[in-house]
Amino acid sequence: MKQVVQAASGGAVRVVDVPVPIIGPTEVLVATQATIVSAGTERAVTALARSGLIAKARARPDLVRKVATKARTDGLGPAVRTVRDRLAEDVPLGYSGCGRVVEVGAAVEGIRPGDLVATGGAGRANHAEFQAVPGLLCARVPGGVDPAAAAFATIGSIALHGLRLAEVGPGSKVAVIGLGLVGQLAARLALASGCDVAGIDVAELPLAAARAAGIRAFEEAGEATTAAMRGWSRGRGADAVLICASGRSAEPVMRATALARDRAQVVVVGDVGLDLARTPFYDKELTLRFARSYGPGRYERGYEDWGVDYPAGQVRWTEGRNQEAVLDLLAAGRLRVDDLVTHVFPIDDAPRAYELVAERTEPYLAIRFDYPAGFDYPAGFDYPAGQEGAGPAAGSADATDGVGAGSTPTTATTPGRSRPWVPRQRAAAAPRRGSRVGWIGAGAFSGSVLLPAFRAAGFDQFITVASAGGRSARSFADRHGFAGAVAGADAVLDDDDIDVVVIATPHATHAELAARALERGRHVWCEKPLALGFDELDRVERAAATGGGALVVGYNRRFSPAVVAARAALDPRTGPLSLVYRVAAGPVPLGHWYHDRVQGGRLLGEVCHFVDTCTALAGSPVDAVAALAGREAELLLAPDLALSLRHADGSLSTIAYSSAAPRTARKEHVEALAGHRHAHIDDYRELVVDGRSVWRGAQDKGHLAAAAAFLRICRGGDAAVTEELLASSRATLAAADALGVEAVRHPAALLA
């Protein structure tokens, strides 16, 4: 399918071919009919992408801090590779559109295939022929509303949320500063709500559009405009001022202080500067508020990703219900948007639209992209037997309207069911085992760390890369030399031309994907953690025992030169080992996946590394576990942990995992005592044994050596390490069980 993207490193906007996205249980797959360019937001995205590194750093100091932290903890090389990989990614553009539903996730209610829906959500509702959109950001379009008008619903929700924050009602005087697209919609929505509305702008086109809609529109002329606005408000000033302008200057916000009445609401909707003077706000005791996108639910994972809606009695106007309100106003004829469209481009010509936005060669308000009226399912996709599905329900009013009309296959269909797409399986081949790689997961770690290690280890045939949405897979494939890119893991797992599967996806998916790949006889590299529960681990172990393929978990530290040398230096030893592993992991932002219980938190997601390293150093499996967590969060998500491990040979390991990050302490420090021997590893940069430096070099956590060991196993080498890796996974789950974490199932036979 076609999608509009901007490379993070700059350059022109492009239309690229990417796989059709695969939806999750809370998502809806939509065949797009129209999308609207949010010129202010999208111009900012493209301008930032085209700026230099210094400008990018000034715009995103939070990312600079992350890079600095990574350089301090992991070294300059990994930090640079991560930055380069990030800059090589494509950024999808767009967030407001309309289209016909093709497929509905199992957890989505109230939407069925064939429905016409307005779509929203940056990163989801893109300028693309197909969109995978959260179910709560799909609003059914009422009858009589044209898809081209419905495509405004999400941008309209931004304006509507700002108006709601203004707390105005019928008869209120509402001033709008900036009559671009969002300002036009805000003014029209205020007018539809019974408010008296006046707007200010400097350009003739937006002023004329506002006047044509019944809005008092004033050209900005300083004191003269202020006097006119005060006359309009009977000398009191506006009850609310909505700032819908954009730019670096704080002038629009300060301008609002002259237009507002005493104790009025000033709502910032646009992206403006905030170098403000206190006195004008203080003198009138103004309330300054900031509108966060489309309304409650925005940026909330529970709402957008997991489909958990807020009860209407508690949160009446969520972002999804704001979409519905805009659509209802369109259906009732109280809101008009068609006259705002100044330019229309077919999706193939999208770059011309962004040239217009960037260069401003002519005035514009709303820019619309149109998509082919009908669509064909992409080449390379078939329906599985018994799941043919249908587009619009048979006999419905929409059955022959727009998307799908005259383009659906002639095979028998089941009315009202979705059409899940399954990739055609390639003809079975007889490749050299361990040579042809399928990669699932196209994240930053994959590109900057894992894939370079695989290449350096000797893997040289990279066949297909998969990601959930497909876009990142296409970009990853182009950057890293994969033959193909697909959406969804099935396309890799079902391809008999692939004999090695690498799993580098979110943690909650690891066990399912690993088991399925092993059951198909593939060799599997699975990033840690292998499983988040005992039942998941049991299934993976059964698949590894019966499928015929090799399994390696990405516990790379056991393969590092420091650990390998430490084991050699401590062997033979006359007694048990005493190990202390101290980790200064540092804090993470609230939005980080460590705070997501679905992904297993820090214990299952990272401490598993250190459990395995202790096991490797001791050369003996764990047979007993004790664990304590700090009080800062729920047990599974605790940022501070202490684990005690007893190994079968009597060795004892203590893991002290802290969210602290002192500047004088490197991230990881391992100390081992055995008889008269003493060894310590300093952050995988140096190994000191009995006071003498045995190994020193650039930080090496063993990624390359681990990939090389995996290649040897795939080609018939000794796979004994697999049992040790599985035992470490089981010991980590036992540590979670020792904390009393209910999410870990199968409490019996913890270490059996």
Side-chain angles (χ1 to χ4, degrees):
M1 70 170 189
K2 294 181 175 65
Q3 182 170 31
V4 182
V5 299
Q6 166 70 64
S9 57
V13 170
R14 304 170 358 255
V15 178
V16 297
D17 285 319
V18 301
V20 175
I22 300 295
I23 63 170
T26 63
E27 294 179 312
V28 175
L29 185 65
V30 178
T32 312
Q33 291 191 353
T35 56
I36 305 298
V37 175
S38 179
T41 299
E42 296 180 46
R43 182 172 59 242
V45 171
T46 56
L48 179 60
R50 294 169 185 174
S51 64
L53 285 176
I54 294 176
K56 286 182 170 75
R58 287 173 177 166
R60 294 297 306 274
D62 56 322
L63 296 182
V64 174
R65 288 191 292 271
K66 287 182 180 179
V67 172
T69 299
K70 186 171 183 64
R72 188 172 66 250
T73 58
D74 295 344
L76 184 60
V80 170
R81 287 194 297 271
T82 298
V83 170
R84 286 176 176 168
D85 208 60
R86 290 287 192 189
L87 290 175
E89 292 178 353
D90 286 332
V91 179
L93 298 174
Y95 62 83
S96 188
C98 179
R100 191 74 65 179
V101 174
V102 176
E103 185 179 353
V104 179
V108 176
E109 297 180 352
I111 297 175
R112 64 189 181 97
D115 284 344
L116 186 67
V117 294
T119 59
R124 274 77 172 263
N126 309 130
H127 301 310
E129 290 181 298
F130 292 87
Q131 310 168 39
V133 187
L136 290 178
L137 288 179
C138 286
R140 294 182 65 188
V141 178
V145 177
D146 187 85
F152 282 84
T154 299
I155 296 179
S157 296
I158 296 173
L160 182 56
H161 180 54
L163 186 63
R164 295 195 193 284
L165 291 178
E167 298 179 350
V168 292
S172 297
K173 302 288 185 180
V174 176
V176 179
I177 298 177
L179 291 172
L181 179 55
V182 173
Q184 295 282 343
L185 291 169
R188 294 177 184 213
L189 287 165
L191 203 63
S193 302
C195 299
D196 191 8
V197 187
I200 296 177
D201 206 286
V202 297
E204 181 53 38
L205 176 62
L207 291 170
R211 292 175 185 135
I215 298 159
R216 295 173 187 259
F218 298 95
E219 183 177 0
E220 177 59 271
E223 288 300 324
T225 303
T226 301
M229 295 284 281
R230 292 197 69 81
W232 158 73
S233 63
R234 296 189 175 91
R236 302 185 187 97
D239 298 301
V241 182
L242 302 184
I243 300 167
C244 299
S246 63
R248 296 181 179 180
S249 172
E251 177 57 29
V253 186
M254 297 308 302
R255 188 76 176 92
T257 64
L259 306 178
R261 66 162 168 81
D262 188 64
R263 294 176 175 83
Q265 301 278 348
V266 177
V267 182
V268 178
V269 180
D271 184 8
V272 293
L274 293 172
D275 184 13
L276 307 178
R278 175 177 180 271
T279 301
F281 290 91
Y282 174 83
D283 287 345
K284 290 186 176 180
E285 201 173 330
L286 299 176
T287 298
L288 181 62
R289 309 182 76 170
F290 295 85
R292 188 170 73 177
S293 203
Y294 332 131
R298 187 69 183 117
Y299 308 114
E300 298 289 345
R301 294 200 64 196
Y303 182 93
E304 295 188 340
D305 294 345
W306 304 333
V308 181
D309 201 356
Y310 300 112
Q314 301 294 324
V315 182
R316 176 62 183 94
W317 295 111
T318 61
E319 51 182 330
R321 292 195 272 269
N322 276 336
Q323 284 179 310
E324 294 173 347
V326 172
L327 292 170
D328 288 343
L329 289 170
L330 288 169
R334 295 167 62 189
L335 176 65
R336 183 185 173 192
V337 296
D338 59 295
D339 61 314
L340 294 174
V341 178
T342 56
H343 296 77
V344 179
F345 296 90
I347 186 62
D348 292 313
D349 289 342
R352 286 204 299 130
Y354 289 94
E355 291 174 6
L356 169 64
V357 169
E359 299 172 10
R360 306 189 189 195
T361 52
E362 56 185 275
Y364 61 84
L365 281 173
I367 300 172
R368 190 180 77 227
F369 292 146
D370 284 345
Y371 298 76
F375 70 90
D376 292 320
Y377 291 92
F381 286 85
D382 284 336
Y383 305 122
Q387 296 186 17
E388 290 82 6
S396 72
D398 296 328
T400 59
D401 177 36
V403 175
S407 64
T408 53
T410 57
T411 55
T413 60
T414 305
R417 293 185 59 193
S418 63
R419 294 173 178 249
W421 293 333
V422 175
R424 289 195 183 103
Q425 188 166 307
R426 299 185 190 182
R432 178 164 52 92
R433 298 298 291 170
S435 60
R436 303 179 67 81
V437 180
W439 204 277
I440 306 175
F445 174 79
S446 275
S448 64
V449 178
L450 196 56
L451 183 59
F454 267 65
R455 286 194 186 281
F459 289 96
D460 58 3
Q461 297 185 60
F462 295 91
I463 307 304
T464 306
V465 59
S467 67
R471 174 192 53 81
S472 58
R474 178 71 272 163
S475 177
F476 194 94
D478 291 342
R479 299 197 312 269
H480 298 297
F482 280 77
V486 295
D490 286 349
V492 172
L493 298 179
D494 294 339
D495 188 347
D496 283 337
D497 204 20
I498 288 171
D499 55 344
V500 174
V501 174
V502 176
I503 299 168
T505 54
H507 293 180
T509 65
H510 286 185
E512 170 72 15
L513 294 176
R516 290 174 59 193
L518 289 165
E519 288 164 356
R520 288 163 169 77
R522 311 290 194 265
H523 300 309
V524 173
W525 170 288
C526 182
E527 270 305 304
K528 55 81 188 169
L530 180 59
L532 299 181
F534 286 106
D535 53 350
E536 291 184 347
L537 185 58
D538 289 345
R539 180 185 172 188
V540 174
E541 288 182 331
R542 287 194 300 270
T546 60
L551 169 65
V552 168
V553 185
Y555 295 142
N556 46 275
R557 284 162 176 79
R558 66 162 49 234
F559 298 98
S560 68
V563 170
V564 172
R567 288 189 64 170
L570 295 171
D571 188 41
R573 50 185 167 85
T574 58
L577 198 65
S578 179
L579 278 164
V580 177
Y581 202 132
R582 188 272 297 149
V583 184
V588 293
L590 289 177
H592 194 279
W593 62 264
Y594 276 157
H595 298 296
D596 181 359
R597 63 184 59 82
V598 173
Q599 302 300 337
R602 289 188 163 193
L603 171 57
L604 299 181
E606 186 177 25
V607 177
C608 57
H609 260 317
F610 316 127
V611 172
D612 181 70
T613 307
C614 289
T615 301
L617 285 167
S620 178
V622 175
D623 67 1
V625 179
L628 291 172
R631 298 181 182 274
E632 291 80 4
E634 62 181 271
L635 292 173
L636 186 62
L637 304 182
D640 300 293
L641 297 155
L643 271 61
S644 294
L645 314 174
R646 188 184 69 196
H647 301 268
D649 69 349
S651 294
L652 296 175
S653 298
T654 299
I655 299 171
Y657 181 92
S658 172
S659 58
R663 289 189 174 274
T664 56
R666 287 175 170 169
K667 181 181 177 182
E668 298 175 42
H669 184 92
V670 189
E671 189 167 13
L673 302 172
H676 297 293
R677 308 306 303 276
H678 173 217
H680 67 85
I681 299 170
D682 183 13
D683 208 28
Y684 296 91
R685 304 167 195 263
E686 184 178 19
L687 168 67
V688 177
V689 179
D690 297 334
R692 183 173 61 88
S693 180
V694 173
W695 173 87
R696 178 184 294 177
Q699 186 183 59
D700 187 342
K701 294 183 179 180
H703 293 99
L704 170 57
F710 179 50
L711 181 59
R712 290 193 297 271
I713 294 171
C714 291
R715 295 179 176 174
D718 184 10
V721 70
T722 297
E723 290 301 320
E724 296 182 25
L725 300 174
L726 289 169
S728 294
S729 298
R730 191 168 290 277
T732 306
L733 294 175
D737 189 82
L739 285 178
V741 176
E742 294 181 359
V744 179
R745 297 169 292 279
H746 284 197
L750 299 185
L751 295 171

